[in-house]
Amino acid sequence: MKTMSVMEAIREAMSIRMREDPNVLLFGEDVGKFGGCFGVSAGMFDEFGPERVRDTPISEGAIIGAATGSAATGLRPIAEIMMDDFITVAMDQLVNNAAFMHYMFGGKIELPMVVRTVNGAGVNAAAQHSKSMEAWLTHVPGLKVVYPSTPQDCLGLLLASIDDNNPVVFFEHKIAYGEKGEVSSFDPIPLGKGDIKKEGSDVTIIAYGYQVFRALKAAEQLEKEGISAEVLDPRTLYPLDKDLIAESVGKTHNVVITSEEFKRGSYAGEISAFVAEEMFDSLDAPCRRVCALNTPVPFSAVLENAFIPQTEDIVNAVKAQRE
Amino acid sequence: MDVTKEQMRHMYRTMVRIRKFESNAQNDFANGKIPGFLHLYLGEEAIATGVCENLNKDDFITSTHRGHGHIIAKGGDMKYMMAELYGKSTGYCKGKGGSMHIADRDLGILGANGIVGAGQDIAVGAGLSCKYRKTQQVCACFFGDGSTNQGTFHEALNMASIWKLPVIFVCENNHFGISMSQSRHQAIKDIADRAAAYGIPGVAVDGNDAMAVYEAANEAIARARKGQGPTLIECKTWRWRGHFEGDPAIYKDPKEQEEWVAREPVKRFREFLEENGVMTADEMDKVDAEVDQEIKDAVQFAEESPLPKPEDVGKDVYTDFDEEVRVR
Ligand SMILES: Cc1ncc(C[n+]2csc(CCOP(=O)(O)OP(=O)(O)O)c2C)c(N)n1
Ligand SMILES: [Mg+2]
């Protein structure tokens, strides 16, 4: 048992696999001696050297393309895109190529690659450095999408992502990096398995990424008001753990989904649609979504706080659903 | 060269404004008054100054994450810039953009930009518009050495060259993209050489010499206005600070840093102006004092300005309606 931050857990997962398998390597902008823009790979350059922890030029298209090409030819690359916001620059490589190759080529090529990238608002970084665009990627057949919350989940799911033979996009939230927690297992956690972060009987709050921490606070507050909330963290967005959701909804009969995405076209909407389509009879009320606003992420703290789906917004949604 | 003494005096004032604005921002960031990411232009003042002195008010510029200098040189008002850095409703972007997104359409400033390389393509569009509308306007496009490894750089130079657009591509080679030194991020020394690949002129100049930058830009802009197409100007310089405030920049060689700081642009320009009888030391000191006051006024304006209201978050997404906001 060890206490670790989210950032340390991610670093640990990469290091574990790099120690075991010389074909695993990490590349991205400033991931080398500098240790990455947020410090995630700090120290890894010293341990693994410049061949395996490689700085790239500012060329996101080439970063993802190189991950694809090297994965197709025997390596297991981990490519870091400094922020999710910059993944747009590399969208062709990720969507038209990495995601579809296995299918287009009739299953002839496997791409064991991980794209790690950073999401999230809350640091006054404005519209081009703060958004959460997981829905762009969950939309694409051929990609697996992982967005864990706790240090234990980050460690186990990153190990499984590196072990996976499909392209995996692995999201990290910049505010969550400092969250600490106990890590007791150094084994992979299978992709597609959710986890109940807190048990409850009146409502299921489905949350992932940093929203898990906000949802847990909301659940605590609701508890005081006599509402028992279950917090369900799918951890992997695709494949989604539908069984766990069905089990929880069968018990609580109410669902609130929260994510930091723009609400329109969000993955939260996808989860909501799935619950409505497949579990309608279990529901006491329509699903509610607590997402960010449909605006670009604003700079000033007053505006950014209004943009972000906060703990109190989750509390309010749960209460409104019961009225 | 047709530079007048008045222009040179104006250039001095511009450089001092940038220097003092940035020094103040550095302190305000350290004191927690400015949130978010702050990328300072200290040490690079001569480039924006030398280029923009050649531009008219209705010419365009595209800028970068390190944009304060470009905006001041293009005539931006430091009051509104300061207020924006403070996240106030009176700022250039009403507190929505912050340091990385300052824009002023009335001054032809098509925005600082947080996406490395994005401004290069936007400049092509501005150039197309100038040419199509036959206005004699031009667009100066500022970008860093690191951004010349993005596809946008190559796509923009190519498109601007085949369409002979009035775009001046100004590369600020401060020798780093975050921690990556130029020698590690590309296998060439002179970025100006890349112009050859697109059949356009490429020149490399000392970016810490305001007059050298002025001259190169003067020629490029004259070409552009005559319909002879784009030019790539590489200005060699050095960023004094870390990539953003808070970056200790341990990847820099202290000796190189010292050498570049010794070639610092404001002091050099002062010496030039004095030697050539353009301004006396006293006159320049007076400018310095006036700019100090401007900065104080700008800070006061920013401090006294109101914060945005939470409900403003839904405004400006579209031109014709407001987005829904959350009532808490
Ligand atoms: C598309 C994209 N990739 C990466 C970044 C992160 N980033 C911001 S500035 C920067 C370095 C830019 O270097 P350069 O172009 O030389 O400009 P300088 O900072 O030196 O002025 C990087 C990598 C970004 N903002 N956008
Ligand atoms: Mg640079």
Side-chain angles (χ1 to χ4, degrees):
Chain A
M1 191 86 105
K2 218 171 152 182
T3 303
M4 272 190 191
S5 68
V6 161
M7 185 181 300
E8 287 164 344
I10 292 166
R11 184 186 306 142
E12 186 62 22
M14 291 192 283
S15 302
I16 289 172
R17 281 299 179 265
M18 286 180 71
R19 281 174 206 133
E20 293 166 354
D21 182 352
N23 287 327
V24 178
L25 65 162
L26 169 69
F27 51 81
E29 291 159 20
D30 303 281
V31 300
K33 199 137 193 92
F34 192 65
C37 186
F38 294 93
V40 177
S41 54
M44 290 178 65
F45 180 90
D46 292 334
E47 180 172 355
F48 299 104
E51 289 292 313
R52 299 186 65 200
V53 180
R54 302 178 84 96
D55 281 323
T56 65
I58 308 169
S59 308
E60 284 80 11
I63 293 170
I64 305 242
T68 307
S70 58
T73 52
L75 304 186
R76 303 189 82 86
I78 305 167
E80 178 178 304
I81 297 293
M82 192 182 286
M83 293 191 201
D84 175 23
D85 308 73
F86 316 150
I87 225 169
T88 51
V89 177
M91 217 57 173
D92 170 63
Q93 287 297 339
L94 191 54
V95 175
N96 281 320
N97 291 286
F100 297 161
M101 270 191 175
H102 186 68
Y103 185 83
M104 290 188 301
F105 300 164
K108 298 263 165 57
I109 281 189
E110 291 188 356
L111 296 176
M113 59 186 267
V114 179
V115 176
R116 288 182 37 245
T117 193
V118 182
N119 257 7
V123 298
N124 305 96
Q128 297 176 338
H129 288 71
S130 306
K131 55 196 171 294
S132 292
M133 301 212 293
E134 53 270 24
W136 282 41
L137 302 166
T138 52
H139 185 63
V140 181
L143 295 180
K144 293 189 181 179
V145 180
V146 181
Y147 201 161
S149 56
T150 63
Q152 177 71 74
D153 290 352
C154 287
L155 192 138
L157 282 155
L158 186 49
L159 289 173
S161 300
I162 298 169
D163 296 346
D164 205 278
N165 285 336
N166 300 280
V168 178
V169 180
F170 188 94
F171 284 107
E172 301 160 17
H173 193 293
K174 53 174 88 71
I175 300 279
Y177 277 140
E179 291 287 332
K180 293 209 159 95
E182 296 297 325
V183 172
S184 54
S185 160
F186 291 79
D187 294 329
I189 296 171
L191 304 191
K193 286 266 170 281
D195 188 40
I196 302 295
K197 294 299 180 203
K198 178 196 164 293
E199 288 195 10
S201 53
D202 296 333
V203 57
T204 302
I205 304 175
I206 301 178
Y208 57 84
Y210 191 68
Q211 283 311 96
V212 171
F213 300 108
R214 293 192 176 113
L216 285 169
K217 280 191 206 134
E220 221 173 277
Q221 248 168 272
L222 287 163
E223 209 74 46
K224 288 183 200 138
E225 302 184 38
I227 301 168
S228 166
E230 176 143 302
V231 177
L232 187 158
D233 179 356
R235 305 192 291 194
T236 305
L237 305 189
Y238 196 82
L240 183 66
D241 191 346
K242 292 185 173 183
D243 293 342
L244 187 66
I245 295 174
E247 201 180 301
S248 179
V249 176
K251 179 173 71 175
T252 64
H253 309 295
N254 286 297
V255 179
V256 170
I257 305 144
T258 182
S259 75
E260 218 187 88
E261 310 161 273
F262 307 130
K263 188 169 184 178
R264 186 172 72 238
S266 59
Y267 191 64
E270 176 65 23
I271 298 176
S272 171
F274 146 73
V275 171
E277 277 178 2
E278 299 189 21
M279 298 167 208
F280 186 75
D281 292 339
S282 308
L283 291 178
D284 285 348
C287 297
R288 293 204 174 219
R289 284 179 292 157
V290 183
C291 298
L293 300 180
N294 291 319
T295 72
V297 189
F299 166 71
S300 191
V302 185
L303 301 173
E304 193 179 30
N305 287 334
F307 167 88
I308 292 172
Q310 307 281 4
T311 297
E312 62 173 307
D313 299 321
I314 303 171
V315 170
N316 290 344
V318 168
K319 291 204 281 198
Q321 190 178 47
R322 312 179 71 75
E323 273 164 13
Chain B
M1 202 188 26
D2 56 353
V3 63
T4 64
K5 285 190 175 179
E6 196 191 322
Q7 281 180 307
M8 288 192 269
R9 285 193 285 267
H10 183 250
M11 284 168 71
Y12 180 71
R13 187 177 294 270
T14 301
M15 281 175 85
V16 173
R17 276 186 178 141
I18 300 173
R19 171 66 54 86
K20 289 186 187 283
F21 184 91
E22 295 297 67
S23 303
N24 181 80
Q26 182 189 328
N27 288 334
D28 282 359
F29 184 88
N31 296 330
K33 291 192 197 168
I34 296 176
F37 289 115
L38 186 69
H39 308 84
L40 296 178
Y41 198 61
L42 289 168
E44 308 184 29
E45 298 89 345
I47 303 170
T49 302
V51 171
C52 292
E53 192 62 35
N54 287 287
L55 297 176
N56 300 326
K57 188 174 169 194
D58 68 348
D59 287 325
F60 298 105
I61 66 166
T62 62
S63 173
T64 65
H65 56 285
R66 201 176 299 290
H68 307 160
H70 310 140
I71 286 139
I72 291 173
K74 190 67 179 49
D77 189 324
M78 295 195 289
K79 273 203 318 272
Y80 304 137
M81 285 179 61
M82 199 72 82
E84 188 59 34
L85 265 54
Y86 274 62
K88 296 298 183 76
S89 64
T90 54
Y92 260 123
C93 316
K94 305 175 195 167
K96 287 182 167 130
S99 163
M100 275 191 290
H101 304 297
I102 296 177
D104 185 346
R105 178 65 180 80
D106 296 337
L107 293 172
I109 300 165
L110 300 177
N113 205 315
I115 300 299
V116 170
Q120 296 153 352
D121 290 344
I122 295 167
V124 170
L128 170 64
S129 163
C130 299
K131 182 162 177 166
Y132 184 83
R133 293 182 292 109
K134 299 194 173 58
T135 60
Q136 296 290 307
Q137 289 163 291
V138 301
C139 180
C141 168
F142 295 98
F143 53 89
D145 51 299
S147 80
T148 65
N149 300 321
Q150 282 287 35
T152 52
F153 170 79
H154 302 273
E155 294 172 26
L157 262 68
N158 186 58
M159 206 186 270
S161 72
I162 59 165
W163 287 347
K164 282 205 182 318
L165 299 180
V167 180
I168 299 87
F169 291 100
V170 182
C171 179
E172 304 180 311
N173 182 0
N174 62 14
H175 296 87
F176 286 94
I178 308 191
S179 72
M180 277 282 266
S181 61
Q182 192 205 353
S183 59
R184 293 176 61 231
H185 74 61
Q186 52 195 197
I188 54 166
K189 240 182 130 93
D190 290 332
I191 294 169
D193 289 350
R194 289 193 171 173
Y198 304 101
I200 63 172
V203 284
V205 300
D206 178 351
N208 282 18
D209 177 346
M211 290 317 295
V213 175
Y214 176 91
E215 280 171 47
N218 188 272
E219 198 173 313
I221 291 168
R223 263 179 58 84
R225 291 205 205 279
K226 277 189 273 182
Q228 294 172 347
T231 302
L232 172 61
I233 303 173
E234 175 192 4
C235 304
K236 297 197 192 272
T237 186
W238 189 261
R239 95 167 124 69
W240 286 3
R241 306 283 303 163
H243 171 67
F244 40 52
E245 288 308 283
D247 164 18
I250 45 170
Y251 46 82
K252 280 196 212 167
D253 175 358
K255 207 175 129 257
E256 261 187 299
Q257 166 94 3
E258 206 177 294
E259 284 166 11
W260 275 99
V261 172
R263 293 198 289 273
E264 83 105 325
V266 178
K267 201 168 123 247
R268 271 172 71 182
F269 197 50
R270 271 184 80 104
E271 284 162 11
F272 170 86
L273 294 174
E274 229 186 324
E275 276 165 25
N276 289 277
V278 182
M279 289 179 93
T280 65
D282 282 351
E283 282 167 341
M284 289 188 276
D285 290 346
K286 194 161 153 269
V287 171
D288 292 4
E290 283 165 10
V291 174
D292 279 332
Q293 188 58 45
E294 276 183 69
I295 300 280
K296 265 194 204 138
D297 293 346
V299 169
Q300 193 184 347
F301 175 79
E303 278 177 346
E304 290 173 358
S305 289
L307 288 166
K309 294 197 204 59
E311 58 269 28
D312 294 342
V313 68
K315 294 182 183 149
D316 299 321
V317 183
Y318 296 97
T319 57
D320 50 353
F321 67 92
D322 294 344
E323 271 295 348
E324 231 173 280
V325 301
R326 204 176 343 243
V327 184
R328 289 199 176 111

